[in-house]
Structures are given as structure tokens and as C-alpha cells.
Amino acid sequence: MFAVSLGDDGAQLCPLEVWQAEELLAHMDRARELVDAWIPLASSVTDLDSARALLQRYAEKQAADTGRLYGIRLDGVLVGGVLFRIFDAESGNCEIGVWLEPAAQGRGLITRAAERLIDWAVHERGMHRVEWVASAANTRSIAVAKRLGMSRDGVMRQSYVHRGVRHDSEIWSVLAPEWRARTGR
């Protein structure tokens, strides 16, 4: 398996595969309370079968070139993840999603991992638009979008239901020319 360094603190970005379902479940158990407040990922990974199903779904998305899933490891322990929830190579548009367990917060892991994904999407795959969608109440996620140099495209009012409550979604994006100017390549 390969891993990409995210800095000098031992953090790495690596693929998550079906055979790692047990590890994903253990991670989700640690992350559940924090993650479930914002996205349904944690509530969809509640046992070994559901962890395998999520990993299998993303393996199929990767094979079809419509999505990808990566883990964030700190000192070898799975502490979070980033994914291309949507990856449409034909249109040149994709959406990044992220999550992290509480013990790993405040280290810049999500920002660094998202930078790697955006670099790859823009520089290697030729994507034109990378989107970031977050609950308008999720100030930490919105702060990451700002750190990534994204622009706020707008708010979709009460656009999704999570835990029985309607939430506004903020849409943020960065375009390939903006990312290239930011990274100097």
C-alpha cells in the first residue's frame, strides 16, 4: 500500500480499502459523536457489514472513476478521511468531503489532506472546479474552505435533512486557474 506524507508530524494520506473495514469501524466509533453532528457518514458505519459496504461502494466508484476515498493516519492510526464524493472527469467537476475524530483536531490535517486532493484533481486529472459543501452551521469546515482559498458560491437554504432537521448548505469552490495561481504551477 502507498502513503503520501502530509508533513513532518507523521501524518499520512492513504487509500482505504475493503479489507480495512474493521479499522474503519473502530475509527468511526471514536469519531461518531463529532462527525454525526454534521454528516450521515458515522451513522451509516455502525457495524462491520456497513463499514465493508461503504468501502466497497467507494472501491466501485474508484473503478468507475466517479469517486475516491482516502484515510488520514497519524502515527499509523486512522484518525480521519477525505474523499471525492463526486468526481465527474467529463465535466471537470468534483466535490471533496472530509471528517476527523476529536483527538486529531487542531493539527491542520484536513487542510493538508484536502490540498493534496485538490492538487491531484487539478494538476493530474485536469479538473476545472473543486467544490466543498458544508452545513452553514459547521464553522470549522467553512474555515477549512477559506484556508484552501475557496470562494463562497452561495447558500442552499434548508437543502438537506440530517437527524430530522433541515440544514442550510454553503457551497464553496476553487477553480483550476485559481488553484494554479495559488500553488505556482
Side-chain angles (χ1 to χ4, degrees), residues 89-158:
E90 187 175 325
S91 72
N93 296 325
C94 60
E95 179 191 329
I96 292 178
V98 301
W99 74 92
L100 200 61
E101 63 186 57
Q105 287 185 311
R107 300 170 189 240
L109 296 171
I110 290 294
T111 302
R112 290 183 275 158
E115 286 172 339
R116 294 295 178 129
L117 261 64
I118 297 170
D119 272 347
W120 180 81
V122 169
H123 297 298
E124 301 297 322
R125 293 302 309 277
M127 298 303 273
H128 179 72
R129 177 184 169 87
V130 180
E131 292 184 354
W132 185 278
V133 180
S135 166
N138 191 343
T139 57
R140 292 184 81 120
S141 184
I142 291 166
V144 174
K146 290 176 182 178
R147 282 194 298 276
L148 292 169
M150 293 183 158
S151 297
R152 183 175 182 249
D153 294 335
V155 176
M156 294 185 349
R157 298 178 310 134
Q158 298 185 6

Side-chain angles (χ1 to χ4, degrees), residues 65-113:
D65 199 27
T66 60
R68 284 177 168 66
L69 174 65
Y70 300 95
I72 299 171
R73 294 184 183 282
L74 192 56
D75 298 322
V77 176
L78 183 62
V79 296
V82 292
L83 55 80
F84 286 110
R85 194 181 77 76
I86 298 169
F87 194 88
D88 185 344
E90 187 175 325
S91 72
N93 296 325
C94 60
E95 179 191 329
I96 292 178
V98 301
W99 74 92
L100 200 61
E101 63 186 57
Q105 287 185 311
R107 300 170 189 240
L109 296 171
I110 290 294
T111 302
R112 290 183 275 158

Side-chain angles (χ1 to χ4, degrees), residues 6 92 94 104 113 182:
L6 293 176
C94 60
R182 184 176 193 263

Side-chain angles (χ1 to χ4, degrees), residues 20-74:
Q20 297 167 306
E22 194 170 311
E23 183 181 22
L24 176 64
L25 178 60
H27 158 63
M28 273 303 144
D29 287 342
R30 294 187 305 270
R32 191 169 317 284
E33 187 175 332
L34 176 67
V35 173
D36 196 49
W38 306 112
I39 58 175
L41 177 66
S43 59
S44 70
V45 176
T46 57
D47 58 25
L48 204 48
D49 287 340
S50 59
R52 276 191 198 105
L54 175 77
L55 293 170
Q56 182 63 45
R57 188 166 57 250
Y58 271 90
E60 291 168 6
K61 287 179 88 154
Q62 183 165 335
D65 199 27
T66 60
R68 284 177 168 66
L69 174 65
Y70 300 95
I72 299 171
R73 294 184 183 282
L74 192 56

